[in-house]
Amino acid sequence: MSIRWIPKYTGLERSLHWVHTACFLALAITGYILFAPWLQPLDQGEAGKLVRIIHRVVAVIFGLVPITYTILQPRRMLMNLKEFLTWGKDDIGWLKAAVPYYLQGKHEKMPPQPRFNSGERLNAVVMVVGTLLFGITGLSMWFLKGIMPVGLFRFVVLIHDLTFIVTFAMFIVHFYLAVIHPLMWQSLVSMRFGYVSESYAREHHAKWYYGEERAKEMWEQHQSGEA
């Protein structure tokens, strides 16, 4: 029997995702060089100038990613943003079930999920807020150094650095679940080809596959059957 594949991402979404990922890693490396005291030799002279130029050029590309998406596919962008910001009691259930689900493969207590599960939506919110903070603080550090008060400039740098720490930690978790974790391997497939299998959609994104009401009904029947 042939596998039925269900579209999840457009070609533009996949392309921009990989551009965003490449930019994030390049910014992480160059930013760490500028941040870490033990890498100070790389932060001096011509090498330091080159690192700063790369960081700023890549930062511009990084900022253009969401702008490009908004211009070319505004309805998709708004649809995804709406889902990222939609939370309910099933998300609390996801948090409670996440450890036994992802570490032990126990599916029984995991409530049905929409097109993006709770973890994916949390990652998206962190990255959206992080991108905004990177933009505000980065532009301030780039163009307002020597203009804004020293204390305010130091605060801006602190926010920039803390934003990196939070987003990079979330990136590591996202990378592990999307690339390494055996249960979630089709999430990488979907970002490469735009599709997930029907069986994967049923198991991991029941609200998306069946519809919210049907998925809720099936979940309640399943829970009452276990009681």
Side-chain angles (χ1 to χ4, degrees):
M1 185 174 64
S2 61
I3 299 175
R4 182 187 172 205
W5 296 92
I6 301 174
K8 187 175 183 182
Y9 300 110
T10 66
L12 179 66
E13 287 170 337
R14 301 196 314 274
S15 299
L16 291 179
H17 174 271
W18 293 116
V19 172
H20 184 270
T21 301
C23 288
F24 183 84
L25 291 174
L27 289 169
I29 293 170
T30 54
Y32 191 69
I33 291 173
L34 299 174
F35 171 81
W38 46 89
L39 294 177
Q40 193 172 19
L42 297 177
D43 184 23
Q44 305 298 317
E46 294 300 318
K49 290 180 181 179
L50 179 61
V51 170
R52 285 174 171 79
I53 290 173
I54 294 173
H55 193 80
R56 290 171 179 174
V57 170
V58 175
V60 171
I61 300 173
F62 185 80
L64 287 175
V65 167
I67 295 174
T68 302
Y69 186 34
T70 302
I71 293 173
L72 297 182
Q73 292 186 351
R75 293 181 65 181
R76 290 281 298 187
M77 186 277 293
L78 289 174
M79 179 186 72
N80 289 335
L81 189 60
K82 181 180 178 180
E83 186 169 341
F84 295 156
L85 298 176
T86 301
W87 298 83
K89 63 179 183 180
D90 282 342
D91 298 304
I92 298 175
W94 181 91
L95 288 172
K96 293 178 179 178
V99 172
Y101 179 71
Y102 290 107
L103 296 186
Q104 299 173 307
K106 295 183 178 180
H107 299 253
E108 301 81 20
K109 300 299 181 182
M110 180 58 71
Q113 295 293 302
R115 188 164 62 101
F116 300 106
N117 66 34
S118 302
E120 290 171 326
R121 280 178 282 131
L122 179 60
N123 174 72
V125 169
V126 169
M127 289 302 172
V128 169
V129 174
T131 298
L132 290 173
L133 289 176
F134 279 137
I136 295 170
T137 57
L139 289 172
S140 299
M141 293 160 62
W142 189 352
F143 294 105
L144 298 180
K145 185 178 182 180
I147 298 176
M148 68 170 61
V150 174
L152 179 58
F153 183 82
R154 289 175 178 171
F155 177 75
V156 168
V157 173
L158 176 63
I159 296 300
H160 196 80
D161 293 343
L162 290 176
T163 301
F164 165 72
I165 292 171
V166 173
T167 54
F168 191 75
M170 184 61 71
F171 173 81
I172 294 298
V173 175
H174 178 67
F175 178 85
Y176 169 72
L177 291 178
V179 178
I180 300 174
H181 198 286
L183 282 178
M184 310 302 293
W185 65 273
Q186 281 199 41
S187 61
L188 179 61
V189 171
S190 67
M191 196 48 74
R192 288 184 62 194
F193 304 107
Y195 295 84
V196 295
S197 69
E198 185 178 25
S199 60
Y200 185 87
R202 284 199 306 265
E203 181 178 341
H204 295 275
H205 305 279
K207 286 184 179 180
W208 176 46
Y209 181 79
Y210 292 108
E212 188 164 348
E213 291 302 320
R214 176 60 178 153
K216 181 180 179 181
E217 180 183 335
M218 294 174 64
W219 167 249
E220 290 175 348
Q221 290 176 354
H222 175 71
Q223 291 299 102
S224 62
E226 285 191 346

